[in-house]
Amino acid sequence: MTKETIDYYKAGYVDGYAAAQIEMLTLGTNRADDIRKQRLLKVPEISKDDYSLGFLDGQNEYQDDYSMNAAFGFDL
């Protein structure tokens, strides 16, 4: 039987992208930092740095995507 390993960077990236979307859609009432803090409670101590880095990269990617869509007039 094989044991699955979790890539916490990728998990953080996906969560960060989604949290940035949620923050934008709820006009800031659900803060991405609050979502990150809640999710970090479930991440093992050894993987918290990887998760946090992925989360921030995901947030930045969403903000870049949002800015590019706004700049070129795509429907948001």
Side-chain angles (χ1 to χ4, degrees):
M1 188 157 109
T2 61
K3 184 176 181 180
E4 287 188 41
T5 58
I6 297 172
D7 184 348
Y8 282 99
Y9 175 84
K10 287 181 182 178
Y13 183 90
V14 171
D15 288 347
Y17 194 93
Q21 260 183 328
I22 290 168
E23 184 174 346
M24 182 67 70
L25 292 173
T26 61
L27 303 175
T29 56
N30 293 323
R31 305 288 303 168
D33 289 337
D34 295 338
I35 295 169
R36 181 181 60 82
K37 289 175 188 172
Q38 289 174 347
R39 297 293 292 201
L40 267 175
L41 296 174
K42 298 178 182 178
V43 175
E45 191 65 38
I46 196 167
S47 301
K48 287 187 188 256
D49 289 338
D50 290 339
Y51 181 86
S52 293
L53 183 61
F55 192 94
L56 293 174
D57 286 347
Q59 274 185 296
N60 291 336
E61 182 69 25
Y62 176 76
Q63 291 168 355
D64 289 347
D65 290 349
Y66 185 82
S67 296
M68 291 301 289
N69 288 341
F72 291 106
F74 296 128
D75 289 335
L76 304 173

